[in-house]
Amino acid sequence: GAVVSQHPSWVICKSGTSVKIECRSLDFQATTMFWYRQFPKQSLMLMATSNEGSKATYEQGVEKDKFLINHASLTLSTLTVTSAHPEDSSFYICSARDRRSRGGGVNEQFFGPGTRLTVL
Amino acid sequence: LAKTTQPISMDSYEGQEVNITCSHNNIATNDYITWYQQFPSQGPRFIIQGYKTKVTNEVASLFIPADRKSSTLSLPRVSLSDTAVYYCLQGDDKIIFGKGTRLHILP
């Protein structure tokens, strides 16, 4: 159980286009999902926290108009990279928290397999 | 900023036991300690979690001293497939990743 999927697994796009990445919790409901970005040989950087039915909370330095996050249901969050440029090329990873979590631990967060974005 | 500190890299040999220590000096009362493993181009995978003393599962053991200011992940009899980056995390809300430890297993 506790599977998180991402779609697509990789995408190549032209500079100036927008790209949407989906994150789904397959066998549990997630009130909270998190979006990370990871550059080669670096750690994961938290971009934003996505809460079902409300606006996402962005980390400092992350442009909310550039990275649009929508968490419309308890099993789906989307990240849209708008007007993508080569510097947005990265590995984007989401994680989801089981709504049954009662806190007191972070193992209720399950990570997706990641999406490789390449902007030409 | 990441709350934890761990060695940047480690090398070991197949069949050896590997211990990776993490420092978390500012750990809060409600924080759990969690370790994740990440292979290249994959999402992190949960390894083990604990609050205090010792926790063991089919993959690893986690040792946490009484003051909880550090923790040690122990991987018994590693193989080449254990080559990965290992992250030590503390907290019970959003996860802030540190730099992790790049473990390289040699034949």
Side-chain angles (χ1 to χ4, degrees):
Chain A
V3 177
V4 175
S5 70
Q6 285 185 236
H7 179 79
S9 56
W10 59 270
V11 57
I12 301 173
C13 69
K14 293 182 178 180
S15 184
T17 61
S18 294
V19 175
K20 179 184 287 187
I21 302 171
E22 294 184 348
C23 176
R24 293 182 185 272
S25 55
L26 298 185
D27 50 3
F28 66 98
Q29 293 182 323
T31 51
T32 304
M33 290 183 173
F34 302 88
W35 286 96
Y36 296 83
R37 180 168 55 178
Q38 186 175 34
F39 293 109
K41 303 293 186 183
Q42 295 187 24
S43 183
L44 286 77
M45 185 193 79
L46 179 64
M47 299 175 66
T49 302
S50 168
N51 296 297
E52 186 267 336
S54 65
K55 292 183 179 180
T57 303
Y58 290 82
E59 295 298 305
Q60 189 173 9
V62 178
E63 301 175 57
K64 61 180 181 181
D65 295 330
K66 171 91 176 157
F67 300 99
L68 301 179
I69 292 173
N70 183 282
H71 192 159
S73 77
L74 288 172
T75 60
L76 173 64
S77 175
T78 61
L79 168 68
T80 301
V81 183
T82 62
S83 186
H85 288 95
E87 58 265 30
D88 297 322
S89 298
S90 189
F91 192 53
Y92 291 87
I93 306 170
C94 72
S95 71
R97 172 181 286 159
D98 192 327
R99 74 178 301 192
R100 295 167 297 178
S101 300
R102 292 293 181 267
V106 297
N107 67 331
E108 298 90 348
Q109 288 193 36
F110 306 97
F111 286 83
T115 297
R116 172 79 55 196
L117 170 64
T118 301
V119 184
L120 302 177
Chain B
L1 293 177
K3 303 175 185 178
T4 60
T5 304
Q6 50 186 124
I8 295 297
S9 66
M10 292 180 66
D11 290 340
S12 187
Y13 292 92
E14 279 192 294
Q16 298 292 309
E17 177 185 81
V18 172
N19 296 309
I20 307 174
T21 298
C22 174
S23 297
H24 22 84
N25 293 316
N26 297 318
I27 193 166
T29 303
N30 292 332
D31 286 351
Y32 276 66
I33 297 164
T34 311
W35 286 79
Y36 283 85
Q37 175 193 56
Q38 187 183 28
F39 296 113
S41 296
Q42 294 186 27
R45 183 177 74 102
F46 171 85
I47 300 175
I48 198 167
Q49 183 185 76
Y51 185 80
K52 60 181 178 181
T53 63
K54 177 183 176 182
V55 179
T56 298
N57 61 22
E58 64 277 8
V59 177
S61 294
L62 178 60
F63 300 90
I64 304 171
D67 65 6
R68 305 203 322 125
K69 292 187 181 300
S70 67
S71 65
T72 300
L73 174 72
S74 180
L75 304 172
R77 299 176 60 81
V78 294
S79 63
L80 294 176
S81 62
D82 291 316
T83 293
V85 179
Y86 292 82
Y87 295 98
C88 159
L89 305 159
Q90 66 181 66
D92 66 353
D93 192 13
K94 64 185 180 182
I95 298 177
I96 303 297
F97 281 80
K99 297 183 183 299
T101 297
R102 196 169 293 275
L103 177 64
H104 187 202
I105 305 302
L106 304 168

